[in-house]
Amino acid sequence: MEKGKEFLKPFIIPGLIITVMLIVALTAARMVLPVLEEKENEETRIIKITAVNDKKYEIQEEIAPEDFTVTAEFDNGKEEELDVDAYEISDTYVQPVGEKTEITVTLKDDSRIYCKMEVAAKRERILGFHCGYPDESKVVAVLYSNGELSFEGEGDTLQFEAGEFPWMNYEGREDYPICSVSFGERVSPGIMDNWFRDMDTLTYVSKLPSSVKSLSGTFQDCDGLIFGADWSSCNELLDISSVYEDCDCLASVPAVPASVRIADYACANCGSLQTSPDLTKAENLVSAYAMFYNCKKLTKTSIAPRLQNISSMYERCINLQEIPELPETVTEMDSTFSRDFSLKSLPAIPPNVKDLDSCFRGCIHAGGTLVIDANPNYYSNFLDDAISATRLDLTGSSEMLNELGLEADNRNVTVNGEVPGKEEVH
């Protein structure tokens, strides 16, 4: 035992020195390695990402981040496939029209690093309807398996009687209903009256061709439509009468183009419409008869600058409280605000108005002052069943203020502060 100790004695001090050196080295490594790693991370940052997705999607099938293979390129030239938690995608469903949908893939940690790519839709041709004019073969309405009706080809289109459009009655309609509509760049229909009337499966319409001049009844009674079609390029559009009439789910319609002249019943009976389309730039619009008739949820509206006929325009819009100033061009106002019992104040009557029959009938909560500058030919029931618990004073330059005041069936209406009285007969 003693001999063993004597043998090890020369190695004890060197061993201690080596041990101390190892401890120092390990400690230094622990301090240096994180710095080196941090420095390496700073030097090897992601500068670019690319994405691949070869899957084809059904129209209602969800696009998931897991469907993509995303590769990152670092500044040192290395590439690495990213984990699914490292990126996000811009859309989760394919567009209702077209073969491809553009998707943006973005790095979560740095939104400046992104790439764009396209995913494919399952879209197989089912059948086609020849509808070119004068050559039928020049334009074909192609029905695809994803429910898209795509007007393809070049030129104008044939006209059909209401209900006789070939895409309204075809074999297999129940298996392949039309859900969306698109138009090729060179397809240029002039008249689209009644094209999709009563098509309750229709939910989306792409931008309308700039050539369109008339959309009378085009989407009437399309209960599946929520958003009106983009008609911003339709600079020759004249007639939108009944275009969205009876579209109960319609919630939004783009601004009416400046060229439009007639909008009678355009959005009548649209029970979900809360804000009217912007009319302020519709400088050629003259007739808006019953345009928003019975739009019971309508709360906000605007007025075209040269309107003439606004009869029944807002009749039965029971949630409308405020009305913009009416232009002096207005001539017809019969039943314009009839039964609008939420109206708080009444707009001034311009000087050229000839018909006020039932104009404010049933406006029971309106009050304040009503300026009348017109001498109408017709004014029966002008204030019938109105101003029940409020006070309304008629003023203005009209020579018929007293007669108009007598149309009220109560004593809550005054004329220049005085109760109107019947003139004595001599």
Side-chain angles (χ1 to χ4, degrees), residues 2 26 32 53 75 94 134 138 171 216 240 250 285 288 401 419:
E2 290 297 327
L26 287 171
V32 172
N53 183 348
D75 58 0
V94 294
K138 289 292 186 179
E171 188 175 349
S216 179
I240 60 169
L250 190 71
L285 184 61
L401 290 179
V419 176

Side-chain angles (χ1 to χ4, degrees), residues 114-160:
Y114 65 90
C115 67
K116 294 181 182 292
M117 52 90 64
E118 293 181 329
V119 298
K122 287 185 178 179
R123 183 175 179 264
E124 300 175 358
R125 179 182 173 128
I126 302 301
L127 58 117
F129 312 101
H130 291 278
C131 56
Y133 176 87
D135 185 345
E136 290 188 35
S137 65
K138 289 292 186 179
V139 179
V140 183
V142 181
L143 177 62
Y144 290 96
S145 58
N146 64 347
E148 176 186 354
L149 183 68
S150 175
F151 288 83
E152 302 172 0
E154 181 178 5
D156 201 353
T157 55
L158 286 172
Q159 299 303 314
F160 300 90

Side-chain angles (χ1 to χ4, degrees), residues 67 152 230 241 423:
D67 300 337
E152 302 172 0
D230 182 354
S241 56
E423 297 181 1

Side-chain angles (χ1 to χ4, degrees), residues 155-195:
D156 201 353
T157 55
L158 286 172
Q159 299 303 314
F160 300 90
E161 295 284 353
E164 295 183 6
F165 296 90
W167 50 82
M168 296 299 294
N169 297 287
Y170 56 91
E171 188 175 349
R173 185 178 179 186
E174 292 183 2
D175 296 325
Y176 295 102
I178 296 171
C179 301
S180 60
V181 172
S182 63
F183 303 90
E185 291 183 1
R186 295 185 296 174
V187 177
S188 53
I191 299 173
M192 289 179 58
D193 295 356
N194 302 303
W195 271 32

Side-chain angles (χ1 to χ4, degrees), residues 43 77 104 232 286 288 305 344-345 362 375:
E43 293 177 351
T104 301
S232 59
V286 294
K344 295 179 179 180
S345 59
N375 296 300

Side-chain angles (χ1 to χ4, degrees), residues 51-69:
V52 176
N53 183 348
D54 295 325
K55 186 176 179 180
K56 286 191 174 183
Y57 294 87
E58 301 283 359
I59 193 66
Q60 295 296 331
E61 184 179 2
E62 186 175 1
I63 304 173
E66 294 83 0
D67 300 337
F68 296 77
T69 300

Side-chain angles (χ1 to χ4, degrees), residues 246-266:
D246 297 323
C247 291
D248 195 53
C249 294
L250 190 71
S252 176
V253 179
V256 174
S259 56
V260 173
R261 291 183 54 80
I262 301 174
D264 298 349
Y265 291 97

